[in-house]
Amino acid sequence: MHTTVGIIGGGPAGLLLARLLHNAGVGSVVLERRDRAYVEQRQRAGILEQATVDALREAGAGERLDREGMVHDGIELRFGRRSHRIDFPALTGGRSVMVYAQTEVVKDLIALQLSEGGPLLFGAEVTGIDGADTGSPVVRYLHEGRAETLTCDYVVGCDGFHGVARDAVPASCRTTYERTYPYSWLGVLAEAPPVYDELVYAHSERGFALASMRSPSVSRLYLQVPNGTDPGDWSDARVWDELDARFATDADPGWKLERGPITSKSVLPMRSHVTEPMRHGRVFLAGDAAHIVPPTGAKGLNLAAADVIVLARALAVRQETGSTGLLDSYSDTCLRRVWRAEHFSSFMTTTLHTDPAQSAFETRLQLAQLDRVATSAHAAAELAENYTGLPLPR
Ligand code: APR
Ligand code: PHB
């Protein structure tokens, strides 16, 4: 098989790229290791920046999003048993975010691609890429028990953190930057209406907690837990009691979450990671394949979308005009924005979580920083601008 752009991975990055290329008249094939049901039920984050929403609409995947997505004009920060609202439109000149689960984005993109796009193969596991720095790289993959090859003009690795595409950049040409955190998140999905209108991010002496939502009847909740935690050690009652304790404020001591059946519990590690450059020869990396952020800033999906928006435009210009200028600047263009998001995600994470080794002095510094956000329009605007998303590179 031959295609213009071979896309490895059918997560949000690979699927959105395939749609944007389709609309620009550029051919592609998506190879996804897992089956469709697995990809569609994988629980991930759920905050979309305006630019991500716009790209999904442009890709033709805006219909259900516009019906079911919930526009959020702010978040609530809780710390020192007090509560403070960050008003996004007031602080950013009108910007807001949308709450719409990544799993739903993926379902919408898969349905579109299967109905009117290029090939999307499930159960197609890529094992390697040959000839990255030649004019026609070859993707090797296994499909239905057979070894196959896909010859491409360009290959894009959208295969996430555990993918194989990163290895196409020779170790001598690539630099990795990484930080791991001394805590994880226990994430639960509950059939319980959120009693809060907006997301609540809580710093507490018991550790971080986050209240998010999936719909008016489903809550998505997170608790900071030690690395290596077994979700089986957390009974439903323990989860709810701990959430209530971490969200407690003096002004409203009776504030309690509404409880309901917990339908899933999982533990997520926290990591920051960047691989540079995001390109070698005719192989490009996009999304989690190139960079990971801890989820506290809600940036993972949005960074993945930004990468493929830049790349789709560059590949379209290449096809239309023959110019490779935008492809040549892809890695530098994306990395500048990636590092901004890395900084913000790390800032949110280290400001809101309690490192088990941190001193009382460091806790005071966190509270002083949060107090600054609550009392200075400049500090609040800095948070709001980053959270709602910085402009896409032109
Ligand atoms: N061959 C084919 N597909 C592969 C291979 C392989 N060797 N390795 C991994 N994949 C697939 C995975 O099964 C997954 O469906 O690549 C896809 C990568 O998807 P994601 O991990 O969702 O990464 P990405 O599309 O970059 O989206 C980033 O996902 O992890 C979150 O927080 C992150 O929200 C962000 C988003
Ligand atoms: C989510 O809804 O899953 C979510 C929201 C905000 C975050 C992380 C996750 O920062």
Side-chain angles (χ1 to χ4, degrees):
M1 215 178 3
H2 176 271
T3 187
T4 308
V5 183
I7 300 175
I8 309 174
L15 293 167
L16 179 58
L17 176 62
R19 294 309 306 158
L20 296 173
L21 291 177
H22 173 81
N23 291 347
V26 180
S28 74
V29 172
V30 182
L31 302 173
E32 165 57 47
R33 175 167 61 138
R34 303 284 192 164
D35 63 29
R36 181 177 179 182
Y38 180 92
V39 173
E40 290 191 344
Q41 59 72 45
R42 206 164 31 191
Q43 278 303 321
R44 292 275 176 78
I47 300 287
L48 309 183
E49 295 173 4
Q50 188 60 49
T52 306
V53 171
D54 291 344
L56 288 167
R57 286 186 185 133
E58 190 192 321
E63 197 224 332
R64 197 160 68 95
L65 174 106
D66 282 326
R67 231 179 325 119
E68 296 177 14
M70 297 171 277
V71 173
H72 279 210
D73 283 339
I75 54 168
E76 200 181 310
L77 295 177
R78 292 193 182 180
F79 59 95
R81 299 183 63 86
R82 286 182 294 135
S83 173
H84 179 80
R85 179 168 187 260
I86 305 288
D87 182 331
F88 293 151
L91 291 160
T92 62
R95 297 214 304 263
S96 51
V97 295
M98 190 181 277
V99 177
Y100 186 68
Q102 181 172 318
T103 34
E104 305 308 318
V105 170
V106 164
K107 282 183 206 163
D108 296 345
L109 289 170
I110 288 175
L112 262 180
Q113 186 70 10
L114 292 178
S115 72
E116 55 175 59
L120 159 58
L121 273 58
F122 290 100
E125 173 159 14
V126 172
T127 52
I129 304 166
D130 296 324
D133 39 21
T134 69
S136 53
V138 177
V139 178
R140 280 181 279 112
Y141 65 101
L142 299 170
H143 190 230
E144 293 171 350
R146 284 196 306 274
E148 308 275 5
T149 56
L150 175 66
T151 307
C152 314
D153 295 343
Y154 294 95
V155 175
V156 185
C158 298
D159 49 351
F161 185 64
H162 300 288
V164 297
R166 233 179 6 251
D167 290 338
V169 185
S172 58
C173 304
R174 107 185 150 205
T175 311
T176 294
Y177 302 88
E178 196 158 37
R179 170 185 286 175
T180 55
Y181 297 84
Y183 33 74
S184 302
W185 279 10
L186 174 69
V188 309
L189 206 55
E191 284 169 15
V195 294
Y196 36 91
D197 298 328
E198 295 179 337
L199 271 61
V200 187
Y201 288 79
H203 174 285
S204 89
E205 52 195 28
R206 306 176 69 97
F208 171 76
L210 168 61
S212 179
M213 60 191 77
R214 287 292 172 264
S215 74
S217 58
V218 176
S219 300
R220 177 74 171 151
L221 301 150
Y222 298 97
L223 284 169
Q224 174 186 342
V225 290
N227 286 342
T229 291
D230 175 358
D233 291 343
W234 283 80
S235 68
D236 292 8
R238 185 178 175 202
V239 170
W240 291 115
D241 289 347
E242 191 60 29
L243 286 163
D244 282 341
R246 294 189 191 184
F247 287 121
T249 60
D250 288 335
D252 188 3
W255 195 89
K256 293 261 185 289
L257 294 165
E258 183 156 338
R259 300 187 178 195
I262 292 182
T263 53
S264 96
K265 277 188 202 130
S266 54
V267 169
L268 299 76
M270 311 277 277
R271 177 188 281 122
S272 301
H273 171 110
V274 180
T275 291
E276 293 186 3
M278 290 168 60
R279 174 209 186 156
H280 181 73
R282 285 183 174 234
V283 177
F284 294 80
L285 302 176
D288 280 15
H291 41 73
I292 295 280
V293 286
T296 328
K299 287 284 154 257
L301 170 60
N302 295 296
L303 276 185
D307 288 350
V308 300
I309 292 167
V310 173
L311 190 52
R313 195 187 304 138
L315 288 163
V317 167
R318 163 79 176 90
Q319 176 161 297
E320 274 163 35
T321 69
S323 162
T324 60
L326 292 179
L327 287 174
D328 294 338
S329 55
Y330 167 77
S331 178
D332 288 345
T333 302
C334 290
L335 282 170
R336 186 156 179 221
R337 203 165 172 283
V338 164
W339 275 111
R340 175 88 293 283
E342 289 287 346
H343 179 273
F344 176 65
S345 304
S346 185
F347 163 79
M348 289 289 279
T349 302
T350 56
T351 305
L352 288 165
H353 290 71
T354 303
D355 183 330
Q358 89 187 33
S359 64
F361 179 82
E362 285 159 325
T363 303
R364 290 289 185 198
L365 291 184
Q366 289 178 318
L367 292 170
Q369 178 59 40
L370 289 164
D371 192 50
R372 174 83 184 143
V373 172
T375 53
S376 153
H378 292 293
E382 172 65 8
L383 191 153
E385 274 183 29
N386 280 281
Y387 195 97
T388 55
L390 295 167
L392 284 182
R394 296 253 107 231

